[in-house]
Amino acid sequence: MTWIAASLFLVGGLLFLMFLGLPVAVAFLVINIAGVIVFMGGLVGIDQLVANATDSITTFALVPVPLFTLMGEILFHSGLAARVFDALDMCFGRIRGRLSYLTVAGGTIFATLSGSSMANTAMLGSTLMPDMIKRGYKPHIIMGPIIATGAVAMIIPPSSLAVLLGSLARIDVGALLIAGLVPGLILMAMYVITIRITLARDPDAAPSYAVERAPLGAILKALALNVLPMGLVIFCVIGLILMGWATPTESAAFGVLSVLILTIVYRKLSLSVMTKAMMGTLKVSGMMLMIIIGSTTFSQVLAFSGASSGLISYATGFGLGFYAMLAAMLVVLIILGMFMDQLSIMMLTLPIFMPLVSVYQFDPIWFGVIMLLALEMSLATPPFGLLLFVMAGVAPKGTTLGQIARAVLPYLLCTLVLIVLLVAVPGIATWLPSVMRN
C-alpha cells in the first residue's frame, strides 16, 4: 500500500469516526486495531499494540498531569479561589469596567494555580458573570475577557497540556512549562489593553456604578490573608522548577501539598471537598490517559505503515522556507481546532510535526510555546471550540455561539500578534528556560 493510501486509511478513517460522533478514545482504538491488522500482521500486531499502549502511560513524565488537575480541583471546590477574587475586587475601586479587569487579574492568578483552561473558564463564568450582568455590562465585554483569560491557563504554568506536549514530543517538560510564563503575562497585558480600547470606543459597554471604596488598611489585610498565601503554591509549582530544585513531577506534588496545607489553615478541608476534587481529577485524568493510549499507538502504526515518512517527504518536497512551513503548521492547527479537541489535535499532528521541527531546525521549546498558543486559539474558534460551549453553559438563556465567538474575536487577534512577536523575538519564550539551565 502506498503512503498516500495508508494516510487516507489511517488519518481519514480517524477523522471519519470522530465525525460520526464516536468518543475520541474509542475512535483511536478502532482505527488502531484496523491499522494493526492491515499493516502489522493481524493478531501478532495486536499483542504489540497492547504492549505499546501500556508503555505509553506508565511513564513518570505524565505524573504531573493528575497532580496539577487535583491541585486546581481542590482550590476550586474549597472556595480558596473565590477568596482571591474577593480580595482583588477591593483593589479596583471605581475604575470603569472594573469587573472585566478583575477577570483578567484574577483569572491569571487562578491559571497559575489550576493549569486547566476548562476549570478556569467555568470558574470565571460562574463567579463573575452574574454580577457583570446585574451591573449592566454588555455581553461582548463579559464573555470575551472570560473566555480569553480562561484559555490562558493552557500557556501559563502549570499547564497540563504543556506537560503532555513535552512528554510526547520529547521536549524538556520543565523548560516548556517555564517558557510559557513570559508569553502568558504579555498576553494578559494585551487583554487589558484590548478592554481599555473597547471601553474607550463604547463607554456604555461597562456602565459606571457606585462602589464603596475600601480603606487602604482593609485592602492590605485582604491581600495579606487571601492572595499572599497563594504565593506558596506559585512558588512550589513555578519557583522550584525555575531554581532547579525540583522536577515538574516533584513540583506538582509540592503544589498539591501546599494547597492542602492552605485548606487546613483556612479550615476548608472536608470530606466533601476532597471527594469532589478526586472525582473531578479522576474523570479528567482518565480521559487524557485513554486518549494518550490510543494516539501514541496511532503514531506508531502511522510510522510502521510508511504514512509518516511519506507525509514528511511530501511536505519538505515543496521547498518551503522556515516561516512558510511554520505558517502552514499554524494553519493546520487552527483549522483542526474548529472541529477537534486540543488533545486529539496534538496527538494527530505531533508524529508529523516533530520530524519537521528537526528538519527545519526549529528550537523545540520555542515551537512548543507557539503550538500551545495555536491550541489555545482553537479553544475559542467556532464551530466546536470547547470554551465556547463552556461559556454557553453558564451564559444567560438565549445566548448563541455566534455572539460568544464575536465577543472573543479581538482577544484571538491578541494571540496572533503574540505569535508574530515570538517569531520575531524568539527570546521571549527561550530566555527563562536558558536562565533555568544556568
Side-chain angles (χ1 to χ4, degrees):
M1 187 181 293
T2 65
W3 72 266
I4 296 177
S7 300
L8 289 174
F9 177 75
L10 293 171
V11 179
L14 179 63
L15 294 175
F16 176 72
L17 291 174
M18 290 181 179
F19 178 76
L20 290 180
L22 261 68
V24 175
V26 176
F28 270 116
L29 178 62
V30 171
I31 204 66
N32 284 341
I33 293 175
V36 163
I37 292 173
V38 172
F39 298 109
M40 297 177 67
L43 295 178
V44 176
I46 295 291
D47 292 336
Q48 187 61 45
L49 181 146
V50 173
N52 293 343
T54 304
D55 292 340
S56 67
I57 59 171
T58 53
T59 171
F60 196 64
L62 291 177
V63 175
V65 174
L67 290 177
F68 284 147
T69 306
L70 178 60
M71 188 174 67
E73 291 282 339
I74 294 174
L75 281 167
F76 179 73
H77 291 294
S78 66
L80 293 184
R83 294 173 70 104
V84 172
F85 279 91
D86 291 340
L88 291 176
D89 188 31
M90 299 173 66
C91 301
F92 286 92
R94 299 173 182 176
I95 300 174
R96 182 181 291 273
R98 58 194 294 272
L99 293 177
S100 296
Y101 293 119
L102 176 62
T103 298
V104 176
T108 303
I109 292 176
F110 189 65
T112 64
L113 301 173
S114 71
S116 169
S117 294
M118 299 280 285
N120 206 18
T121 305
M123 191 271 295
L124 292 172
S126 60
T127 56
L128 293 178
M129 177 176 273
D131 196 25
M132 296 170 91
I133 294 173
K134 185 175 72 173
R135 301 295 182 183
Y137 281 53
K138 290 185 178 179
H140 66 87
I141 202 67
I142 298 174
M143 297 183 293
I146 288 176
I147 295 177
T149 307
V152 88
M154 187 175 288
I155 186 74
I156 287 183
S159 165
S160 297
L161 204 69
V163 174
L164 291 173
L165 176 58
S167 302
L168 298 170
R170 303 293 189 269
I171 301 172
D172 185 335
V173 173
L176 184 57
L177 282 170
I178 294 301
L181 184 58
V182 174
L185 294 177
I186 292 175
L187 195 57
M188 292 297 95
M190 289 182 177
Y191 291 166
V192 170
I193 294 171
T194 301
I195 293 171
R196 182 69 188 88
I197 293 172
T198 301
L199 294 177
R201 296 178 58 187
D202 183 10
D204 292 334
S208 58
Y209 56 91
V211 178
E212 184 178 348
R213 189 184 298 274
L216 179 60
I219 294 175
L220 294 176
K221 182 180 178 181
L223 292 175
L225 290 177
N226 299 319
V227 178
L228 191 59
M230 297 302 161
L232 172 64
V233 183
I234 296 172
F235 173 76
C236 289
V237 173
I238 301 175
L240 293 179
I241 297 177
L242 188 59
M243 293 180 177
W245 294 353
T247 65
T249 301
E250 292 164 346
S251 71
F254 278 116
V256 174
L257 178 61
S258 64
V259 170
L260 286 174
I261 291 172
L262 289 178
T263 55
I264 293 172
V265 170
Y266 285 104
R267 298 181 180 179
K268 296 292 184 180
L269 187 62
S270 66
L271 180 60
S272 173
V273 167
M274 291 307 300
T275 300
K276 292 177 181 177
M278 293 298 291
M279 287 299 296
T281 302
L282 182 62
K283 290 177 182 178
V284 173
S285 302
M287 178 270 295
M288 286 186 174
L289 293 177
M290 285 296 295
I291 294 176
I292 289 170
I293 287 175
S295 58
T296 303
T297 310
F298 175 77
S299 66
Q300 293 168 348
V301 175
L302 202 65
F304 191 87
S305 69
S308 292
S309 57
L311 285 168
I312 293 163
S313 299
Y314 179 74
T316 55
F318 286 106
L320 295 177
F322 181 96
Y323 298 109
M325 179 55 70
L326 180 63
M329 290 178 174
L330 291 175
V331 169
V332 168
L333 290 171
I334 292 172
I335 291 176
L336 288 177
M338 295 179 180
F339 306 99
M340 299 170 63
D341 68 274
Q342 285 58 49
L343 192 54
S344 302
I345 296 168
M346 194 170 70
M347 300 307 177
L348 187 62
T349 56
L350 280 179
I352 301 168
F353 281 5
M354 292 317 294
L356 291 173
V357 167
S358 178
V359 170
Y360 280 83
Q361 297 183 336
F362 294 163
D363 183 301
I365 295 172
W366 170 81
F367 176 77
V369 173
I370 288 181
M371 186 170 181
L372 287 172
L373 285 169
L375 291 173
E376 179 200 320
M377 287 184 63
S378 68
L379 279 169
T381 50
F384 297 115
L386 290 179
L387 295 189
L388 300 180
F389 292 100
V390 173
M391 178 54 62
V394 298
K397 289 184 178 180
T399 303
T400 65
L401 286 178
Q403 290 175 316
I404 299 172
R406 285 192 295 274
V408 79
L409 181 59
Y411 303 90
L412 293 179
L413 294 178
C414 290
T415 306
L416 275 178
V417 171
L418 179 58
I419 291 174
V420 173
L421 279 176
L422 284 170
V423 174
V425 189
I428 294 173
T430 58
W431 172 68
L432 264 185
S434 67
V435 170
M436 183 180 72
R437 293 192 189 100
N438 294 329

mmCIF file with all atom_site columns, all heavy atoms in Angstrom, residues 278-292:
data_model
loop_
_atom_site.group_PDB
_atom_site.id
_atom_site.type_symbol
_atom_site.label_atom_id
_atom_site.label_alt_id
_atom_site.label_comp_id
_atom_site.label_asym_id
_atom_site.label_entity_id
_atom_site.label_seq_id
_atom_site.pdbx_PDB_ins_code
_atom_site.Cartn_x
_atom_site.Cartn_y
_atom_site.Cartn_z
_atom_site.occupancy
_atom_site.B_iso_or_equiv
_atom_site.pdbx_formal_charge
_atom_site.auth_seq_id
_atom_site.auth_comp_id
_atom_site.auth_asym_id
_atom_site.auth_atom_id
_atom_site.pdbx_PDB_model_num
ATOM 1   N N   . MET A 1 278 ? -11.336 14.707 43.988 1.00 0.00 ? 278 MET A N   1
ATOM 2   C CA  . MET A 1 278 ? -10.813 13.428 43.492 1.00 0.00 ? 278 MET A CA  1
ATOM 3   C C   . MET A 1 278 ? -11.634 12.918 42.310 1.00 0.00 ? 278 MET A C   1
ATOM 4   O O   . MET A 1 278 ? -11.082 12.385 41.339 1.00 0.00 ? 278 MET A O   1
ATOM 5   C CB  . MET A 1 278 ? -10.804 12.390 44.618 1.00 0.00 ? 278 MET A CB  1
ATOM 6   C CG  . MET A 1 278 ? -9.830  12.695 45.747 1.00 0.00 ? 278 MET A CG  1
ATOM 7   S SD  . MET A 1 278 ? -8.106  12.741 45.209 1.00 0.00 ? 278 MET A SD  1
ATOM 8   C CE  . MET A 1 278 ? -7.833  11.011 44.832 1.00 0.00 ? 278 MET A CE  1
ATOM 9   N N   . MET A 1 279 ? -12.946 13.097 42.366 1.00 0.00 ? 279 MET A N   1
ATOM 10  C CA  . MET A 1 279 ? -13.794 12.657 41.259 1.00 0.00 ? 279 MET A CA  1
ATOM 11  C C   . MET A 1 279 ? -13.508 13.467 40.000 1.00 0.00 ? 279 MET A C   1
ATOM 12  O O   . MET A 1 279 ? -13.411 12.913 38.896 1.00 0.00 ? 279 MET A O   1
ATOM 13  C CB  . MET A 1 279 ? -15.277 12.784 41.642 1.00 0.00 ? 279 MET A CB  1
ATOM 14  C CG  . MET A 1 279 ? -15.750 11.741 42.648 1.00 0.00 ? 279 MET A CG  1
ATOM 15  S SD  . MET A 1 279 ? -15.576 10.057 42.037 1.00 0.00 ? 279 MET A SD  1
ATOM 16  C CE  . MET A 1 279 ? -16.703 10.091 40.645 1.00 0.00 ? 279 MET A CE  1
ATOM 17  N N   . GLY A 1 280 ? -13.350 14.780 40.151 1.00 0.00 ? 280 GLY A N   1
ATOM 18  C CA  . GLY A 1 280 ? -13.019 15.620 39.001 1.00 0.00 ? 280 GLY A CA  1
ATOM 19  C C   . GLY A 1 280 ? -11.670 15.251 38.416 1.00 0.00 ? 280 GLY A C   1
ATOM 20  O O   . GLY A 1 280 ? -11.505 15.185 37.183 1.00 0.00 ? 280 GLY A O   1
ATOM 21  N N   . THR A 1 281 ? -10.695 15.004 39.271 1.00 0.00 ? 281 THR A N   1
ATOM 22  C CA  . THR A 1 281 ? -9.361  14.616 38.812 1.00 0.00 ? 281 THR A CA  1
ATOM 23  C C   . THR A 1 281 ? -9.403  13.279 38.089 1.00 0.00 ? 281 THR A C   1
ATOM 24  O O   . THR A 1 281 ? -8.759  13.093 37.049 1.00 0.00 ? 281 THR A O   1
ATOM 25  C CB  . THR A 1 281 ? -8.395  14.522 40.005 1.00 0.00 ? 281 THR A CB  1
ATOM 26  O OG1 . THR A 1 281 ? -8.360  15.778 40.683 1.00 0.00 ? 281 THR A OG1 1
ATOM 27  C CG2 . THR A 1 281 ? -6.996  14.158 39.553 1.00 0.00 ? 281 THR A CG2 1
ATOM 28  N N   . LEU A 1 282 ? -10.155 12.338 38.634 1.00 0.00 ? 282 LEU A N   1
ATOM 29  C CA  . LEU A 1 282 ? -10.258 11.008 38.026 1.00 0.00 ? 282 LEU A CA  1
ATOM 30  C C   . LEU A 1 282 ? -10.866 11.081 36.627 1.00 0.00 ? 282 LEU A C   1
ATOM 31  O O   . LEU A 1 282 ? -10.369 10.432 35.692 1.00 0.00 ? 282 LEU A O   1
ATOM 32  C CB  . LEU A 1 282 ? -11.106 10.108 38.922 1.00 0.00 ? 282 LEU A CB  1
ATOM 33  C CG  . LEU A 1 282 ? -11.286 8.650  38.461 1.00 0.00 ? 282 LEU A CG  1
ATOM 34  C CD1 . LEU A 1 282 ? -9.943  7.944  38.409 1.00 0.00 ? 282 LEU A CD1 1
ATOM 35  C CD2 . LEU A 1 282 ? -12.239 7.906  39.395 1.00 0.00 ? 282 LEU A CD2 1
ATOM 36  N N   . LYS A 1 283 ? -11.916 11.885 36.477 1.00 0.00 ? 283 LYS A N   1
ATOM 37  C CA  . LYS A 1 283 ? -12.570 11.999 35.164 1.00 0.00 ? 283 LYS A CA  1
ATOM 38  C C   . LYS A 1 283 ? -11.628 12.608 34.131 1.00 0.00 ? 283 LYS A C   1
ATOM 39  O O   . LYS A 1 283 ? -11.481 12.095 33.017 1.00 0.00 ? 283 LYS A O   1
ATOM 40  C CB  . LYS A 1 283 ? -13.838 12.851 35.295 1.00 0.00 ? 283 LYS A CB  1
ATOM 41  C CG  . LYS A 1 283 ? -14.959 12.180 36.069 1.00 0.00 ? 283 LYS A CG  1
ATOM 42  C CD  . LYS A 1 283 ? -16.144 13.127 36.223 1.00 0.00 ? 283 LYS A CD  1
ATOM 43  C CE  . LYS A 1 283 ? -17.251 12.482 37.049 1.00 0.00 ? 283 LYS A CE  1
ATOM 44  N NZ  . LYS A 1 283 ? -18.401 13.416 37.256 1.00 0.00 ? 283 LYS A NZ  1
ATOM 45  N N   . VAL A 1 284 ? -10.988 13.724 34.481 1.00 0.00 ? 284 VAL A N   1
ATOM 46  C CA  . VAL A 1 284 ? -10.110 14.418 33.534 1.00 0.00 ? 284 VAL A CA  1
ATOM 47  C C   . VAL A 1 284 ? -8.887  13.573 33.204 1.00 0.00 ? 284 VAL A C   1
ATOM 48  O O   . VAL A 1 284 ? -8.524  13.398 32.034 1.00 0.00 ? 284 VAL A O   1
ATOM 49  C CB  . VAL A 1 284 ? -9.679  15.787 34.106 1.00 0.00 ? 284 VAL A CB  1
ATOM 50  C CG1 . VAL A 1 284 ? -8.638  16.442 33.202 1.00 0.00 ? 284 VAL A CG1 1
ATOM 51  C CG2 . VAL A 1 284 ? -10.886 16.702 34.260 1.00 0.00 ? 284 VAL A CG2 1
ATOM 52  N N   . SER A 1 285 ? -8.235  13.029 34.230 1.00 0.00 ? 285 SER A N   1
ATOM 53  C CA  . SER A 1 285 ? -7.019  12.244 34.017 1.00 0.00 ? 285 SER A CA  1
ATOM 54  C C   . SER A 1 285 ? -7.316  10.957 33.259 1.00 0.00 ? 285 SER A C   1
ATOM 55  O O   . SER A 1 285 ? -6.547  10.563 32.372 1.00 0.00 ? 285 SER A O   1
ATOM 56  C CB  . SER A 1 285 ? -6.363  11.913 35.359 1.00 0.00 ? 285 SER A CB  1
ATOM 57  O OG  . SER A 1 285 ? -6.056  13.084 36.076 1.00 0.00 ? 285 SER A OG  1
ATOM 58  N N   . GLY A 1 286 ? -8.421  10.306 33.599 1.00 0.00 ? 286 GLY A N   1
ATOM 59  C CA  . GLY A 1 286 ? -8.796  9.083  32.893 1.00 0.00 ? 286 GLY A CA  1
ATOM 60  C C   . GLY A 1 286 ? -9.027  9.331  31.419 1.00 0.00 ? 286 GLY A C   1
ATOM 61  O O   . GLY A 1 286 ? -8.573  8.554  30.564 1.00 0.00 ? 286 GLY A O   1
ATOM 62  N N   . MET A 1 287 ? -9.722  10.433 31.100 1.00 0.00 ? 287 MET A N   1
ATOM 63  C CA  . MET A 1 287 ? -9.971  10.779 29.704 1.00 0.00 ? 287 MET A CA  1
ATOM 64  C C   . MET A 1 287 ? -8.661  11.028 28.968 1.00 0.00 ? 287 MET A C   1
ATOM 65  O O   . MET A 1 287 ? -8.434  10.527 27.861 1.00 0.00 ? 287 MET A O   1
ATOM 66  C CB  . MET A 1 287 ? -10.862 12.018 29.643 1.00 0.00 ? 287 MET A CB  1
ATOM 67  C CG  . MET A 1 287 ? -11.159 12.522 28.239 1.00 0.00 ? 287 MET A CG  1
ATOM 68  S SD  . MET A 1 287 ? -9.953  13.741 27.639 1.00 0.00 ? 287 MET A SD  1
ATOM 69  C CE  . MET A 1 287 ? -10.232 15.095 28.769 1.00 0.00 ? 287 MET A CE  1
ATOM 70  N N   . MET A 1 288 ? -7.757  11.793 29.595 1.00 0.00 ? 288 MET A N   1
ATOM 71  C CA  . MET A 1 288 ? -6.476  12.100 28.957 1.00 0.00 ? 288 MET A CA  1
ATOM 72  C C   . MET A 1 288 ? -5.650  10.840 28.717 1.00 0.00 ? 288 MET A C   1
ATOM 73  O O   . MET A 1 288 ? -5.080  10.647 27.635 1.00 0.00 ? 288 MET A O   1
ATOM 74  C CB  . MET A 1 288 ? -5.679  13.079 29.833 1.00 0.00 ? 288 MET A CB  1
ATOM 75  C CG  . MET A 1 288 ? -6.188  14.503 29.811 1.00 0.00 ? 288 MET A CG  1
ATOM 76  S SD  . MET A 1 288 ? -5.091  15.611 30.720 1.00 0.00 ? 288 MET A SD  1
ATOM 77  C CE  . MET A 1 288 ? -5.854  17.193 30.371 1.00 0.00 ? 288 MET A CE  1
ATOM 78  N N   . LEU A 1 289 ? -5.577  9.971  29.711 1.00 0.00 ? 289 LEU A N   1
ATOM 79  C CA  . LEU A 1 289 ? -4.753  8.768  29.580 1.00 0.00 ? 289 LEU A CA  1
ATOM 80  C C   . LEU A 1 289 ? -5.314  7.818  28.529 1.00 0.00 ? 289 LEU A C   1
ATOM 81  O O   . LEU A 1 289 ? -4.554  7.176  27.790 1.00 0.00 ? 289 LEU A O   1
ATOM 82  C CB  . LEU A 1 289 ? -4.639  8.069  30.936 1.00 0.00 ? 289 LEU A CB  1
ATOM 83  C CG  . LEU A 1 289 ? -3.845  8.837  32.001 1.00 0.00 ? 289 LEU A CG  1
ATOM 84  C CD1 . LEU A 1 289 ? -3.867  8.092  33.332 1.00 0.00 ? 289 LEU A CD1 1
ATOM 85  C CD2 . LEU A 1 289 ? -2.418  9.082  31.567 1.00 0.00 ? 289 LEU A CD2 1
ATOM 86  N N   . MET A 1 290 ? -6.632  7.728  28.427 1.00 0.00 ? 290 MET A N   1
ATOM 87  C CA  . MET A 1 290 ? -7.238  6.881  27.397 1.00 0.00 ? 290 MET A CA  1
ATOM 88  C C   . MET A 1 290 ? -6.895  7.391  26.004 1.00 0.00 ? 290 MET A C   1
ATOM 89  O O   . MET A 1 290 ? -6.577  6.617  25.095 1.00 0.00 ? 290 MET A O   1
ATOM 90  C CB  . MET A 1 290 ? -8.757  6.838  27.583 1.00 0.00 ? 290 MET A CB  1
ATOM 91  C CG  . MET A 1 290 ? -9.223  5.966  28.732 1.00 0.00 ? 290 MET A CG  1
ATOM 92  S SD  . MET A 1 290 ? -8.823  4.220  28.475 1.00 0.00 ? 290 MET A SD  1
ATOM 93  C CE  . MET A 1 290 ? -9.848  3.850  27.050 1.00 0.00 ? 290 MET A CE  1
ATOM 94  N N   . ILE A 1 291 ? -6.944  8.713  25.836 1.00 0.00 ? 291 ILE A N   1
ATOM 95  C CA  . ILE A 1 291 ? -6.613  9.286  24.534 1.00 0.00 ? 291 ILE A CA  1
ATOM 96  C C   . ILE A 1 291 ? -5.127  9.099  24.242 1.00 0.00 ? 291 ILE A C   1
ATOM 97  O O   . ILE A 1 291 ? -4.729  8.834  23.097 1.00 0.00 ? 291 ILE A O   1
ATOM 98  C CB  . ILE A 1 291 ? -7.009  10.774 24.479 1.00 0.00 ? 291 ILE A CB  1
ATOM 99  C CG1 . ILE A 1 291 ? -8.537  10.917 24.565 1.00 0.00 ? 291 ILE A CG1 1
ATOM 100 C CG2 . ILE A 1 291 ? -6.505  11.429 23.201 1.00 0.00 ? 291 ILE A CG2 1
ATOM 101 C CD1 . ILE A 1 291 ? -9.025  12.335 24.624 1.00 0.00 ? 291 ILE A CD1 1
ATOM 102 N N   . ILE A 1 292 ? -4.279  9.218  25.264 1.00 0.00 ? 292 ILE A N   1
ATOM 103 C CA  . ILE A 1 292 ? -2.838  9.021  25.070 1.00 0.00 ? 292 ILE A CA  1
ATOM 104 C C   . ILE A 1 292 ? -2.551  7.593  24.623 1.00 0.00 ? 292 ILE A C   1
ATOM 105 O O   . ILE A 1 292 ? -1.729  7.352  23.725 1.00 0.00 ? 292 ILE A O   1
ATOM 106 C CB  . ILE A 1 292 ? -2.071  9.345  26.364 1.00 0.00 ? 292 ILE A CB  1
ATOM 107 C CG1 . ILE A 1 292 ? -2.089  10.851 26.622 1.00 0.00 ? 292 ILE A CG1 1
ATOM 108 C CG2 . ILE A 1 292 ? -0.619  8.863  26.279 1.00 0.00 ? 292 ILE A CG2 1
ATOM 109 C CD1 . ILE A 1 292 ? -1.569  11.237 27.984 1.00 0.00 ? 292 ILE A CD1 1
#
